[in-house]
Amino acid sequence: MDLQLVRELRDSIKDCSERGLVVSSKWSAELYLSVPQHKRDALVAEPGTGFSTSTPARARSPRPSLAFGASPTLGAASITSGRHQTSSEPSASQERETELQQAEEATLLAAQSYVTSKDFSRAVHVLRNCRSLKAQFLSIYCQFLISEKKTERDWYKHYNIRGHPPIPFNRSLLLHLEAVKNAVDPWLLFLKGLFFSRLNRREEAIESIILSISGYPWNWSAWTLLGRCIGDGEELSSLLPLFSLSPSHPLVQLFQIKTMNELNSPTENELMMCDRLLSEDFFQGSPWVMSLRACVLYHLHDCPKTLDRQRKQFEKILAVAPYRVDDIDVYSNILYVTENRLKLSRLAHEFLELDKDRPEVCCLVGNHYSLRAEHEKAVKYFRRATELDRTYLSAWTLMGHEYVEMKNSHAAIEAYRRAVDVNRKDYRAWYGLGQAYELLSMHQYALYYYQRATALRPYDVRLWQAQALCYEEIGRTRDAVECLKRALLGADARETTINLKLAKLYEELQELAEAAAYHRKVVEICCAEDRPVQDYAKSSIYVARHQMVTPGGDLTLAREYLERVAGSNAEEVTQAADWLKKLKSVLLLRPQVGS
């Protein structure tokens, strides 16, 4: 990471803070803190590079070009025209903007203080006669926040009325969009993308956001917004070449990892990117990047070995940042799955003392009570999390899980539907809906929701197994077989349950050779793992019997399998002994086969 990137990162702290983008400014500050000390010292040592506190834009460092292509469609030409410029001389438009900001300095400082104290109406009023682009951004953004607050308030007034929309709709969005429809400034383009996104005009939102990023790459809020617009990994791959930054740029890699985590489909490639970004050259020891890595591990595998890696990664994060609340709910999910009651209880009490009004903490406490089978208390805390943040997906999903445990299918369905309204890309809500309808024995409905979940997470073994069970219940055995075969592709090589289920289904279909083949797989896996004979005694007998009744069957194999069961302490000892007697008769009839 060269000094130019470090400078841009440092400058973004101030740039975002001055525009009220608190989350983005905090993100930049956290990353800047983890940049190696010698690089920060080198930046401070450069002449004229002190951390300016003046309002006007900096004329000393290269600024992004504000000249974007006029073409309404997103193409290579429009992206290229908006790329971050490296010219050492400011353009005429930049000089004009600097002059305006200098003239409006007192007003901008007052407006920024009002935004910091969330006094948005006063900020809009004081900026009413300002003409600089920064003032326009602050004014439009504050008007948007005011309208959002009013929309939320009105929506909650009619929360329990039948026919009430599942999510609030801001009717002022079109007015806000009109104010930025011809924008070329990267910050105003970010607002344009935000308004398009809220209006569900996804393609136009993506176009505006990419142009905004091309003009000013270090606005993390723009990257976050773009990630929410992306539907799947394929779409992400198609958008990456459109950026003005190289694929190895830290911003592009951070965005890719974050988006793949949100799509619940990171790969080993994202894990390698995390390791690179945590190296000495970039953000070594950064809690934010470490948390990204922990979430990659969380979504990547759920085997005991990986769960241990996930737990250790979160322990490292808490050792570096003990008061960090972000993603603590993910850590609580890991402790819940591993049934670590003691650690989960201690964590819940510590963070309740720290900040009981954070939705992440409410989810942590809910998991604590859920693990203790106190489902009513768990629901109380998950509901509290949704009251603090209506868009908090994990809380709705976990609440649905609790209602499933309580056998309250209708309440579970309502919670899962809320989760789907928040984010239709999260497979867990669709999977939960399938489970809830399965409890009601409505297998056709359950099958539909399982299919939606599987489309989002095609390599999840559980989802294919759930589909197979539904197909079996409605009498479509052949489809159930196909689902289980698909499940095997993502299953552990030592998996036996799915093979046994396939053997059973093929037996029902009267395809006995296929059934015997899967039983034989079970025997081979168990023998390779040195498992007790009891685990595969039935499969051994089935394979042996099939070899005996099939013309030209392998009687040597049959005898080997039966003798192994007969010499064990399995329940099937008597059955194996009876079949051994019958085998002797078969050997007398076909001595050449058994020799």
Side-chain angles (χ1 to χ4, degrees), residues 78 97 102 123 131 234 245 370 375 392 463 486 547 563:
S78 61
E97 174 65 12
Q102 287 173 343
R131 293 181 297 156
E234 288 185 11
L245 308 171
S370 179
H375 301 300
Y392 195 60
L463 303 183
R486 186 63 182 75
Q547 296 296 340
E563 286 176 349

Side-chain angles (χ1 to χ4, degrees), residues 192-241:
K192 187 177 179 181
L194 174 61
F195 302 150
F196 274 136
S197 172
R198 294 297 302 277
L199 289 165
N200 292 321
R201 292 161 65 172
R202 199 173 65 87
E203 291 183 0
E204 292 165 291
I206 290 173
E207 176 184 355
S208 297
I209 299 163
I210 291 180
L211 288 170
S212 172
I213 289 169
S214 297
Y216 190 89
W218 287 95
N219 175 12
W220 184 247
S221 294
W223 291 97
T224 303
L225 181 61
L226 181 59
R228 291 176 189 157
C229 295
I230 292 173
D232 53 42
E234 288 185 11
E235 186 175 19
L236 172 63
S237 299
S238 68
L239 289 177
L240 289 176

Side-chain angles (χ1 to χ4, degrees), residues 65-70 73-85 210-211 214-215 241-245:
S65 168
L66 304 182
F68 286 84
T73 58
L74 181 62
S78 61
I79 293 296
T80 303
S81 62
R83 289 190 176 180
H84 201 69
Q85 300 297 308
I210 291 180
L211 288 170
S214 297
L242 296 177
F243 295 130
S244 56
L245 308 171

Side-chain angles (χ1 to χ4, degrees), residues 129-147:
N129 296 320
C130 293
R131 293 181 297 156
S132 67
L133 293 173
K134 184 186 285 187
Q136 288 178 43
F137 177 91
L138 277 169
S139 179
I140 297 167
Y141 186 48
C142 287
Q143 290 174 53
F144 167 69
L145 294 175
I146 292 166
S147 64

Side-chain angles (χ1 to χ4, degrees), residues 264-408:
N264 302 301
S265 54
T267 64
E268 293 289 345
N269 184 44
E270 279 68 46
L271 195 60
M272 290 171 61
M273 287 182 184
C274 286
D275 293 335
R276 174 178 180 263
L277 292 167
L278 284 167
S279 67
E280 292 181 359
D281 291 335
F282 291 93
F283 312 110
Q284 188 177 33
S286 165
W288 196 87
V289 182
M290 288 166 71
S291 185
L292 265 191
R293 187 178 190 278
C295 290
V296 169
L297 288 169
Y298 176 70
H299 292 297
L300 199 55
H301 301 297
D302 57 1
C303 64
K305 187 176 179 181
T306 311
L307 285 169
D308 189 54
R309 290 171 67 194
Q310 297 163 15
R311 180 183 57 77
K312 287 179 179 177
Q313 183 68 70
F314 273 108
E315 286 174 356
K316 285 181 182 177
I317 295 167
L318 288 175
V320 175
Y323 304 112
R324 189 177 191 273
V325 177
D326 298 341
D327 297 317
I328 198 66
D329 52 328
V330 179
Y331 184 33
S332 74
N333 290 341
I334 295 164
L335 295 177
Y336 179 90
V337 170
T338 55
E339 297 185 4
N340 195 330
R341 294 171 184 269
L342 186 63
K343 188 162 286 187
L344 186 55
S345 174
R346 181 173 57 79
L347 208 64
H349 284 93
E350 285 178 2
F351 277 86
L352 264 179
E353 288 290 323
L354 179 65
D355 193 346
K356 62 184 176 61
D357 292 327
R358 285 282 294 270
E360 296 94 334
V361 174
C362 291
C363 276
L364 162 62
V365 179
N367 274 334
H368 161 65
Y369 282 118
S370 179
L371 192 55
R372 292 171 55 178
E374 297 183 41
H375 301 300
E376 291 83 2
K377 285 186 177 179
V379 166
K380 174 186 170 184
Y381 276 95
F382 291 139
R383 188 169 296 283
R384 168 69 175 151
T386 64
E387 289 167 356
L388 291 167
D389 182 358
R390 176 187 52 78
T391 64
Y392 195 60
L393 179 69
S394 294
W396 288 115
T397 307
L398 292 171
M399 192 193 303
H401 294 347
E402 292 306 303
Y403 281 128
V404 168
E405 290 292 326
M406 296 160 70
K407 300 295 187 282
N408 188 344

Side-chain angles (χ1 to χ4, degrees), residues 502-575:
L502 278 165
K504 175 179 173 290
L505 293 178
Y506 272 120
E507 197 172 350
E508 290 176 9
L509 291 168
Q510 297 299 308
E511 297 181 20
L512 305 182
E514 289 288 340
Y518 280 102
H519 275 301
R520 187 169 178 178
K521 271 189 182 178
V522 171
V523 175
E524 290 171 352
I525 291 168
C526 290
C527 289
E529 291 284 306
D530 201 23
R531 297 183 193 177
V533 177
Q534 294 93 318
D535 290 0
Y536 57 94
K538 287 179 180 173
S539 292
S540 297
I541 292 172
Y542 189 94
V543 174
R545 189 178 63 198
H546 177 73
Q547 296 296 340
M548 288 166 62
V549 300
T550 302
D554 189 343
L555 298 185
T556 305
L557 180 70
R559 183 168 57 190
E560 178 191 334
Y561 279 16
L562 291 172
E563 286 176 349
R564 186 182 296 140
V565 177
S568 72
N569 58 356
E571 291 180 8
E572 293 80 9
V573 169
T574 306
Q575 192 180 352

